[in-house]
Amino acid sequence: TSPQAKAIRLTAISCELLDWHEQTGGAHFTYDSPGRCAAAFDKTPARIWVDGSPWTAAVFPRGRHKVDVEVP
């Protein structure tokens, strides 16, 4: 399987996206938002972490945070 097949893409976000980096098996990004931030992806993530802590939804806390997403 090529790394491209394992990529995940951000399709929408409700806050300021500061950076986005695809990596093998997922991606990571940083955002800043005065309120909660909702994100949508082209695939359902297998795992999400916000600032290194496990997260269960694609709605993230307000402020500046780093998010890591992993695809199955």
Side-chain angles (χ1 to χ4, degrees):
T1 305
S2 72
Q4 189 70 9
K6 292 266 186 185
I8 189 167
R9 298 195 190 277
L10 184 66
T11 58
I13 193 161
S14 68
C15 56
E16 182 180 2
L17 182 64
L18 301 175
D19 67 20
W20 171 267
H21 300 281
E22 288 184 20
Q23 57 196 28
T24 302
H28 63 271
F29 64 95
T30 304
Y31 72 89
D32 192 23
S33 181
R36 295 187 330 170
C37 175
F41 305 96
D42 68 341
K43 299 176 185 168
T44 302
R47 291 181 194 85
I48 302 173
W49 293 271
V50 176
D51 298 329
S53 296
W55 204 257
T56 58
V59 178
F60 307 116
R62 68 182 181 165
R64 179 177 277 198
H65 298 279
K66 181 180 181 231
V67 178
D68 294 285
V69 293
E70 183 179 300
V71 293

